Amino acid sequence: MHALRKNHPLRRIVLASAATVSGMVLLLSLKPHTTPAVAVTARSTAPAVQGTQTVTGDTIQTRWGPVQVRVTVKDGKLTEVTAVTYPTDNPRDQEINSYALPRLRSEALQAQSADIDTVSGATYTSDGYRQSLQSALDSADS
Amino acid sequence: MGTVFSFDVRGGEPLAVQAALREAVAGLHRVNEVFSTYRDDSQVSRLARGELTVDDCDREVAEVLELGAEAERLSDGWFSMRYEGRLDPTGIVKGWAVERAARRVAESGATGVSVNGGGDVQLLGVPGPERPWRVGVSDPLRPGGLAAVVSAAGATELAVATSGTAERGAHIVDPRTGRSAVTDLLAVTVVAPTITWADCWATAAFAMGSREGLAWLEALPDTEALLITAGDEVLITGGLAARLG
């Protein structure tokens, strides 16, 4: 229904999902220790907001603790991804965070610059970070 | 960790699309209940223990087992539904579930559907009049980077599957030895019309290694591939270049 527009680069962020009329992110547990969760997001079709916007995504509960991601969008383009809440209870958490957070940022920025809809292959960042990132992008876009 | 399924849906009547999405999601949860080998009470676990026959199971179980048997035959046993001697159709279930979910959403009238299940992607239709679906292939040696971008231009159905050691450590078993596949490959990406087969072929070719895997993939109809070796060589089938964008 709606073409992908050049002035709407956020649409191309596809770490989780981006759609015009309806899109969604679904976590499906193929192993028993993860609680299945479903989040459906409908996206608006408004043009990209000009200027700088900082938007914080939903807090997503993971089995390690809550995670929450914040994005900065300048003239409709993603410029920064940071985590505002993440598990820090033990050294393993800190190890995962030191690995996952820079990677999340790198993947998000790369997906945008390559003008792609989705990625096949290795994914390094946890589901919680992706889900929070997507909710932030959804909010920033409308 | 569970697997993330992402849907990207374009066009269609919003209420019909939403209803189809809900059905597709419910279908995925049902697949998990029926097929998970991590749940002792799943039909597949009970089937593996001999507590159920195929006829006792949901009809999808027979459907998946038939597809898996065909994949075993066409791959000369390199794709396998057995793990440590036990029935384990996990290798075909994910791709099959992704394809089924994508088709369910497309039936609702959506003009473009992309479903990504843990890195296995089924594309149907187009995202918009001016642009085809574009899928990044992640680079196993440069985390966060892309090895290639596959364009679905001109195809109304296209799937991209990647098998490798990068995502969750070594998880591909050589069906001949029962151990982790000894391979010179880091990743195999297969591009074919449907993800059910693309995923099986990527798994089989990964276990074969670069030399045999590339030759075998080259001979499969409607199938192109990109293989990345541990030495950072990139090998592609003859027709892949036309799909790179």
Side-chain angles (χ1 to χ4, degrees), chain B residues 61-130:
Chain B
V61 173
E63 183 187 333
V64 167
L65 294 182
E66 275 171 33
L67 290 169
E70 195 174 352
E72 288 178 337
R73 187 174 59 77
L74 292 170
S75 68
D76 196 20
W78 284 99
F79 174 88
S80 173
M81 286 193 294
R82 306 200 78 80
Y83 178 65
E84 292 178 346
R86 208 179 119 121
L87 175 70
D88 186 346
T90 306
I92 195 162
V93 168
K94 190 171 74 168
W96 171 83
V98 168
E99 183 182 341
R100 195 169 73 143
R103 292 199 189 285
R104 178 64 199 89
V105 177
E107 278 167 14
S108 72
T111 50
V113 178
S114 161
V115 179
N116 186 331
D120 290 332
V121 181
Q122 177 74 58
L123 308 166
L124 300 172
V126 291
E130 299 151 29

Side-chain angles (χ1 to χ4, degrees), chain B residues 21-183:
Chain B
L21 275 169
R22 278 194 296 274
E23 267 183 44
V25 170
L28 289 172
H29 284 293
R30 180 68 187 158
V31 166
N32 189 41
E33 273 172 39
V34 171
F35 287 93
S36 177
T37 54
Y38 295 90
R39 300 167 66 133
D40 281 344
D41 60 345
S42 75
Q43 290 181 15
V44 162
S45 292
R46 297 180 64 200
L47 183 64
R49 291 196 301 268
E51 295 167 17
L52 294 178
T53 66
V54 173
D55 289 341
D56 296 329
C57 300
D58 285 11
R59 62 177 173 76
E60 286 84 0
V61 173
E63 183 187 333
V64 167
L65 294 182
E66 275 171 33
L67 290 169
E70 195 174 352
E72 288 178 337
R73 187 174 59 77
L74 292 170
S75 68
D76 196 20
W78 284 99
F79 174 88
S80 173
M81 286 193 294
R82 306 200 78 80
Y83 178 65
E84 292 178 346
R86 208 179 119 121
L87 175 70
D88 186 346
T90 306
I92 195 162
V93 168
K94 190 171 74 168
W96 171 83
V98 168
E99 183 182 341
R100 195 169 73 143
R103 292 199 189 285
R104 178 64 199 89
V105 177
E107 278 167 14
S108 72
T111 50
V113 178
S114 161
V115 179
N116 186 331
D120 290 332
V121 181
Q122 177 74 58
L123 308 166
L124 300 172
V126 291
E130 299 151 29
R131 186 177 173 281
W133 290 112
R134 289 165 56 83
V135 180
V137 175
S138 91
D139 186 336
L141 287 172
R142 291 162 200 84
L146 299 176
V149 175
V150 173
S151 163
T156 53
E157 292 191 2
L158 198 72
V160 184
T162 300
S163 282
T165 52
E167 187 171 8
R168 283 157 199 217
H171 71 290
I172 294 179
V173 174
D174 182 341
R176 292 158 194 226
T177 63
R179 297 185 184 158
S180 280
V182 178
T183 176

